[in-house]
Amino acid sequence: MTERGNEREWILHARRGDDDAFANLVEAYQVPVYNLCCRMLGDPIQAEDAAQESFLKAYRGLKRYDPNRPFATWLLSIASHHCIDRLRRKRIQAISLSELLPNQQKPDDSPGPEAALAIREHQQAVRGMLEHLGNHDRAVVVLRYWYELSYEEIAQTLSTSVSSVKSRLHRARRQLARYWMEQETVALATRGKCDEASAV
Amino acid sequence: MKHQQFDTWLFEEEALSPDQDRALAEHLESCEHCRALAAAGRAVEGQLLTTSQIEPAPGFTQRWRACLADDRHRVGQRQLGAVLLSTTVGLVTLALLFGAQLLPLLQPAIPAITQWFSKIVAVVAHLNLVREIFSVLLEIMVEGIPIVYRVVLPISLAGLSAVWIVSLYRLSFQNLRREL
């Protein structure tokens, strides 16, 4: 992410009201925060909005930030809670990946049409899986798999206990595996029907 | 052992004991459902681990700056509204309190205030009358003056004013410049 020294300096300056210093932090953490919001909300427009609001909340609450705690965890905590609140307030409607903004994927991932399609399908499959989880379970899975946070860090981020994180993760993984099995069964059934039709 | 137990062990976060591990392996050999579930779990894990982070559209920081400016504007407006509201409420409260206190004191002065008010109204009415008289006189005078004079007179007055302004300018500023 960022060099710790630079980060501390930016935080220090931002606490004194330096907007440019906080803008550096926004620049450094835009991808993890946006990705978290996107995984949680499943909608790039909502995710952009949520990420912007998360950074605003962080800017306003910067005086409450404990420097002994990693800044990334603190920021992800704000974003996670914000997304959970949003989901609680309003059930987000799933949208098709074709509605994603043109620059949603990593710029390095600029493959040919087939590979791009594969990436899209992969992202769609992941989004489909995450949509089947509850808000808190989804947050635990996202923080575990995309940010590689420890149980303790996830517990700190979501203001919960380690045992709760473990049980949520366990439940989520089981739920995801069952969903995957169902999807496989549906895919096999569809393929079977297609084969029958082509044979006729 | 119950089937449910193996189902739980498959997704256990903590490491299983050697005995549990062995029992699970034995069960997986015989149970097709649990085998399929374990494979699905591995597939899900693979999907999650190989999915890259999604990046926002370019210009995220600029948009954040715009959001911050908007937020500050909104906060400023809210604060101004709150100040105005509290001031108004305070003033109204004070006015009510003082009004209640002053009303008995003002009661003897009410006839005098009414008299003063009627006098002011009379003066305004007189002033209006004077204005009407002057406008009628002006109309009569204008009608009596021939059209040539009506054009020449304002032009002459304008010329005289210009000469007057120029002379004043020369007398004041030019002497000052010479002194400098």
Side-chain angles (χ1 to χ4, degrees), chain B residues 23 26-27 44 68 75 77 84 94 117 124 128 136 141 178:
Chain B
E26 279 170 15
H27 177 75
V44 166
L68 182 66
V75 169
Q77 277 190 331
L84 282 174
L94 279 174
F117 187 72
V124 169
N128 213 17
V136 169
M141 276 169 71
R178 253 178 244 142

Side-chain angles (χ1 to χ4, degrees), chain B residues 102-114:
Chain B
L102 289 173
L103 206 60
L105 297 171
L106 285 173
Q107 251 171 356
I110 286 171
I113 292 167
T114 320

Side-chain angles (χ1 to χ4, degrees), chain A residues 138-155:
Chain A
R138 195 183 308 174
V140 169
V141 167
V142 171
L143 290 170
R144 181 74 177 161
Y145 287 98
W146 275 279
Y147 302 94
E148 291 166 1
L149 298 187
S150 64
Y151 297 129
E152 288 76 17
E153 283 171 323
I154 297 172

Side-chain angles (χ1 to χ4, degrees), chain A residues 75-110:
Chain A
L75 201 57
L76 291 175
S77 166
I78 292 172
S80 311
H81 282 115
H82 184 73
C83 289
I84 290 169
D85 281 349
R86 265 183 176 237
L87 288 168
R88 215 179 272 158
R89 268 184 272 137
K90 186 175 148 189
R91 191 162 179 82
I92 304 295
Q93 294 290 317
I95 57 152
S96 71
L97 266 171
S98 59
E99 285 177 56
L100 278 171
L101 294 170
N103 293 307
Q104 291 303 300
Q105 306 300 334
K106 276 194 152 190
D108 298 340
D109 297 341
S110 46

Side-chain angles (χ1 to χ4, degrees), chain A residues 27 48 151 166 173 178, chain B residues 7 11 13-14 61 63:
Chain A
E27 191 70 36
E48 165 86 17
Y151 297 129
K166 282 182 182 173
R173 287 171 63 205
R178 283 196 175 138
Chain B
D7 191 310
F11 303 101
E13 287 301 307
E14 305 287 347
T61 311
R63 291 195 294 282

Side-chain angles (χ1 to χ4, degrees), chain A residues 34-74:
Chain A
Y34 177 80
N35 179 63
L36 174 76
C37 296
C38 218
R39 298 290 174 204
M40 286 294 292
L41 303 171
D43 172 8
I45 296 158
Q46 295 266 3
E48 165 86 17
D49 207 26
Q52 294 284 358
E53 278 184 38
S54 299
F55 277 115
L56 275 181
K57 277 188 178 178
Y59 182 75
R60 282 191 227 119
L62 202 58
K63 291 220 162 74
R64 289 193 301 274
Y65 164 65
D66 173 13
N68 298 319
R69 200 178 153 187
F71 185 72
T73 318
W74 181 71

